[in-house]
């Protein structure tokens, strides 16, 4: 084989290698840009969220998140951190539109969008508008601040950010475990009674509770008194005037292994939730699903029926 032929074959082989590499480059999946840096969940110090349902400002103080209104009230730190951790994993599509007149089609008009601002230290780390949900769950149409194009962000939904201010706050009225409750006292529509744990079992009015009620009514009453969580929270300064808390439907107090708990239950709000005020916490009013309180509406006789 002549040297000239060898050179030609080497050149052809080189071209084939280049072509193969170029084809592989063209066929590799396109890497979509990320919405936020990986460090954001740990570095975020302040979050401001403003939308059709209201405005809330949350600040990180040491390892806790607190609200600016009511000042210093704890935020739902777990839910907030989970949401922050979604941001660096959220990918952005190519622009859907840059026409401002089409923003309402994607829930991004001034009256429908939710504005999210995230600071890290004293600097703005991320700012974007959230519109309606995208076609792929979970996803939402967003517009980055100072940008005109609308993109789809995959990794979170519109509902993750479009909440009432109280939905960002800590909703625990009694945050202990139900198993820690050793007594529950109730003054309600069916009289006054006290459920108390003794060495012989659970008693109401000095009488042993029916065995069949221990795993049902007793468990439910302990859950309602010792591990009650609201659906939302109202700033007491902005709460309705007549919530029925002056003449409450229920007055509840409980003794737990970690301390006492007491709260009053008032009227229903327009969505059927009960206004609840916790003793020693004047800053907020809790909104609790009415069904969560059913066990506290029972009579002493209900606990004794099987005896």
């Amino acid at each position: 084989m002549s040297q000239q032929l060898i050179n030609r074959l080497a050149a052809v082989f080189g071209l084939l290698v280049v072509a193969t590499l170029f084809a592989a480059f063209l066929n590799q999946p396109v890497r979509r840009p990320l919405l936020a840096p990986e460090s954001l969940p740990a570095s975020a110090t302040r979050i401001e969220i403003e939308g059709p349902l209201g405005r809330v400002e949350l600040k990180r103080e040491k390892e806790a998140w607190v609200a600016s209104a009511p000042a210093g009230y704890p935020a739902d730190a777990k839910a907030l951190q989970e949401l922050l951790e979604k941001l660096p994993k959220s990918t952005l599509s190519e622009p859907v539109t840059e026409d401002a007149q089409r923003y309402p089609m994607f829930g991004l008009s001034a009256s429908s969008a939710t504005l999210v601002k995230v600071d890290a230290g004293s600097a703005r780390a991320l700012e974007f508008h959230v519109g309606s949900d995208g076609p792929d769950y979970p996803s939402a149409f967003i517009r980055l601040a100072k940008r005109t194009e609308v993109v789809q962000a995959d990794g979170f939904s519109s509902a993750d950010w479009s909440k009432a201010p109280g939905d960002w706050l800590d909703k625990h009225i009694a945050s202990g475990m139900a198993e820690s409750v050793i007594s529950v006292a109730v003054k309600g529509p069916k009289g006054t009674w006290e459920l108390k744990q003794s060495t012989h079992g659970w008693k109401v009015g000095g009488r042993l509770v029916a065995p069949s009620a221990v795993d049902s009514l007793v468990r439910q009453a302990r859950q309602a008194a010792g591990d009650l969580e609201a659906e939302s929270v109202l700033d007491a300064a902005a709460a309705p005037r007549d919530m029925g808390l002056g003449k409450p439907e229920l007055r509840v107090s409980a003794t737990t292994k970690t301390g006492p708990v007491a709260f009053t239950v008032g009227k229903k709000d327009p969505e059927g939730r009960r206004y609840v005020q916790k003793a020693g916490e004047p800053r907020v009013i809790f909104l609790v699903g009415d069904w969560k309180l059913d066990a506290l509406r029972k009579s002493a006789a209900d606990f004794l029926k099987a005896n």
Side-chain angles (χ1 to χ4, degrees):
M1 183 179 294
S2 67
Q3 185 62 44
Q4 186 178 13
L5 180 57
I6 292 174
N7 291 340
R8 287 179 178 177
L9 289 174
V12 171
F13 179 75
L15 290 173
L16 287 173
V17 170
V18 171
T20 301
L21 293 174
F22 184 66
F25 172 77
L26 292 178
N27 290 327
Q28 69 179 350
V30 177
R31 292 186 178 181
R32 297 175 64 179
L34 298 174
L35 174 59
E38 186 178 358
S39 61
L40 187 61
S43 64
T45 54
R46 176 182 172 274
I47 303 173
E48 181 184 335
I49 305 161
E50 185 172 7
L53 297 178
R55 177 185 177 276
V56 66
E57 181 183 345
L58 308 167
K59 295 180 180 179
R60 194 197 296 265
E61 293 186 357
K62 296 181 180 180
E63 297 303 315
W65 284 92
V66 298
S68 61
Y73 188 82
D76 187 344
K78 181 181 178 181
L80 190 60
Q81 193 63 29
E82 289 175 352
L83 188 52
L84 281 173
E85 289 173 0
K86 290 181 180 182
L87 296 179
K89 301 173 184 176
S90 300
T91 58
L92 305 180
S93 72
E94 292 292 320
V96 178
T97 184
E98 294 186 31
D99 184 356
Q101 293 186 346
R102 300 183 67 189
Y103 288 172
M105 295 174 58
F106 303 96
L108 287 164
S109 65
S111 61
S112 62
T114 297
L115 176 61
V116 179
K117 301 177 182 178
V118 184
D119 293 347
S122 59
R124 179 63 42 82
L126 182 64
E127 184 173 345
F128 61 99
H129 304 262
V130 183
S132 56
D133 282 335
D136 306 311
Y137 183 84
S139 68
F141 292 111
I142 72 167
R143 183 172 64 83
L144 294 171
K146 301 179 182 179
R147 303 284 291 271
T148 58
E149 61 267 25
V150 174
V151 296
Q152 179 179 309
D154 291 334
F156 58 82
S157 69
S158 173
D160 285 336
W161 294 102
S162 303
K163 301 178 182 180
D167 292 349
W168 297 99
L169 304 183
D170 185 359
K171 303 173 187 67
H172 286 94
I173 299 169
S175 56
M177 296 180 65
E179 291 76 12
S180 72
V181 176
I182 56 179
S183 73
V184 181
V186 174
K187 183 177 181 181
K190 295 186 178 180
T192 300
W193 50 265
E194 183 178 16
L195 176 69
K196 196 169 185 179
Q197 192 176 40
S198 71
T199 54
H200 301 290
W202 287 91
K203 293 184 176 182
V204 170
R207 298 175 60 188
L208 280 173
V209 170
S212 60
V214 173
D215 291 332
S216 55
L217 290 184
V218 171
R219 178 180 56 81
Q220 294 165 16
R222 295 174 82 192
Q223 182 76 27
D227 193 21
L228 187 60
E229 185 173 352
E231 276 62 51
S232 190
V233 183
L234 295 175
D235 184 344
R241 179 172 297 180
D242 183 15
M243 295 179 286
L245 294 168
K247 295 182 178 179
E249 182 207 24
L250 294 170
R251 294 185 185 272
V252 181
S253 61
T255 303
T256 75
K257 294 176 182 178
T258 57
V261 175
F263 56 88
T264 54
V265 179
K267 295 180 178 180
K268 292 181 180 180
D269 80 337
E271 295 182 34
R273 303 169 295 185
R274 290 283 180 173
Y275 295 109
V276 174
Q277 186 167 38
K278 179 181 178 181
E281 180 49 85
R283 295 175 294 177
V284 298
I285 302 295
F286 298 94
L287 294 170
V288 179
D290 194 41
W291 62 272
K292 292 183 179 181
L293 303 164
D294 283 347
L296 303 176
R297 296 189 176 97
K298 301 296 183 181
S299 67
D302 290 325
F303 290 87
L304 304 168
K305 276 181 181 177
N307 277 2

